Amino acid sequence: MKFKQDYFEQLVGFYSQVNPQGLSNPHWLAWSDDAAKLLDNAAPSESLLQQLSGNQAMPGASYYAQVYSGHQFGGYTPRLGDGRSIILGEASGPQGHWDVALKGGGLTPYSRQGDGRAVMRSAVREFLISEALHHIHVPTTRALAVIGSDLPVWRESQEQAAITVRLARSHIRFGHFEYFSHSPEGSKAKLQQLVDFTLTQHYPTLTCDSQGYELWFNQVVADTAKMIAHWQAVGFAHGVMNTDNMSILGDSFDFGPFAFLDTFNEDFICNHSDPEGRYAFGQQPGVGLWNLQRLAQALVPLIESDVLISALNRYQQHLIDHYLTLMRAKLGLTVESASPEQDEFDLALMGEFTMMLQQSQLDYTNSFRQFSYLDPTQSRSELADDFIDRPRFDAWWQQFQQRLGKVKDVEAWQQQRSAINPKYILRNYLAQEAIIAVEEGNNQPLQQLHQLLTQPFAEQPEFAHYAQRPPQWGQGLIMSCSS
Ligand code: AMP
Ligand code: MG
């Protein structure tokens, strides 16, 4: 790997230098060939293993933990920072640079009461979801590898430490701007330095002046809306949408107790620490706006309030536009001439479908996948038998067909649907099974699951059991934040 050190060199005072603590007996639990392609010369060698586990120095790397703050479950924590993530620098790759971070790499000045470590189960989950989301086209940070070890760590009981090697276009979070706006270490000059760095690195067409700042904040609003529209369309619940877990680039980021919906449920909560459902599946679009409002507040010293407000006012429309685009593709609907009436009609059609899924306790992913197999020209759909209220479904089907119009080539239509509606997603129970196998010393199920999720749209009939709804024990698994 070859590094540049722009953050490290240009943003002195925005991080602390640290030393990774190393792992005893490190071994690859999984490696992503696909993520490795993002970097120059990344291959799973023994020396890279020792470097990424923190046992040996990586040539060209700086080791640092970034400082940031954030709103956690609605309340402001004035200083958080990377408590267990150590960044090595920006590694070069064929399409640009990627921050390389060792999540679970050891203590930092921001570890507070924590031990700076990640347990294997959470490291494996982050690895899997990063790669799984990418392959269903959801903007996300990536994961190069997950490294297991003998090192014991204590949570509710003794567990093994691991490291997820995270690749991110940037690790800058909403919380960075909050920190340098609100904390005694911050100032208008530092906030501006951070914004200018972000613009220069990631928005090369924008200028570092009030016009550039305005365009930039509008872009952040649009990118955040787009990310959340993706989550809603694929049925993904992030679980901890604190502002310190929101990437400024609109990439899904910092995964903890996330889950894909099995049964469709607007009120689904995947996080054990969120009994009130602040981050329930159906709340995510609203939370995205709330988080952007916190970011806007932090930017007030730099950007006129009315500029910030008018950008925020566009959030909902961005979200709806992206959501409509994604859901139309799932259902095979095309738009000849866009109109508010058409949008409203389509949203209602989609809403009625998801409400029926909820009423009938049907699987979200599998129900959409059915559109790859059904004949949309038939007057009555075989799907109807899955629904409790069949007349309600039949009425919906009629409306759907009318809206769909003529389908000339049914097979092509089905193929398009199967390239958009995944067959395989990272269901919690699948991750859980892979983790249990790793605990028993068998990495093969993890690697197989990872491979499968790199081709989520392919039929792969030999793996059809991975597409099944969860068994009784795996339904509605709620994960804890303890990681
Ligand atoms: P998260 O919930 O993973 O987004 O983490 C929130 C904050 O807690 C961040 O500042 C993390 O770096 C920190 N943190 C989480 N787990 C640990 C740990 N095991 N050791 C140190 N800091 C941690
Ligand atoms: Mg976090």
Side-chain angles (χ1 to χ4, degrees), residues 68 72 80-82 84 103 166 173 238 240 242-246 253-255:
Y68 50 85
Q72 300 182 299
L80 288 162
D82 291 329
R84 53 169 173 159
K103 189 165 176 182
R166 175 162 65 194
R173 309 151 188 259
H238 179 284
V240 201
N242 295 333
T243 54
D244 52 300
N245 292 338
M246 299 290 290
F253 193 29
D254 240 12
F255 302 103

Side-chain angles (χ1 to χ4, degrees), residues 188 269 397 431:
K188 185 178 170 186
I269 301 168
W397 182 253

Side-chain angles (χ1 to χ4, degrees), residues 68 72 79-85 103 106-108 110-119 155 173 240 242 244-245 254-257 481 483:
Y68 50 85
Q72 300 182 299
R79 199 172 89 144
L80 288 162
D82 291 329
R84 53 169 173 159
S85 176
K103 189 165 176 182
L107 287 172
T108 79
Y110 315 110
S111 298
R112 294 174 293 163
Q113 270 68 269
D115 58 4
R117 293 300 189 179
V119 295
R155 296 296 181 263
R173 309 151 188 259
V240 201
N242 295 333
D244 52 300
N245 292 338
D254 240 12
F255 302 103
C481 258
S483 51

Side-chain angles (χ1 to χ4, degrees), residues 42-43 65 75-76 125 129 158 199 411 467 475:
Y76 187 61
R125 281 168 53 83
I129 193 61
Q158 186 177 311
L199 259 70
E411 214 174 300
Q475 282 174 22

Side-chain angles (χ1 to χ4, degrees), residues 55-80:
N55 293 345
Q56 286 175 11
M58 169 83 82
S62 302
Y63 295 91
Y64 61 95
Q66 297 179 344
V67 62
Y68 50 85
S69 56
H71 279 84
Q72 300 182 299
F73 292 92
Y76 187 61
T77 307
R79 199 172 89 144
L80 288 162

Side-chain angles (χ1 to χ4, degrees), residues 321-373:
D321 289 347
H322 285 299
Y323 182 74
L324 273 169
T325 304
L326 294 166
M327 295 302 282
R328 281 178 179 138
K330 286 174 89 66
L331 291 167
L333 304 174
T334 52
V335 189
E336 248 132 65
S337 55
S339 72
E341 293 73 36
Q342 184 70 79
D343 290 354
E344 211 170 296
F345 180 90
D346 288 355
L347 277 176
L349 193 72
M350 293 158 190
E352 171 67 356
F353 186 69
T354 54
M355 277 193 287
M356 287 189 300
L357 292 181
Q358 178 147 351
Q359 180 190 37
S360 298
Q361 299 271 294
L362 290 177
D363 188 84
Y364 184 73
T365 299
N366 291 352
S367 298
F368 278 100
R369 183 73 180 178
Q370 289 301 319
F371 284 82
S372 325
Y373 313 124

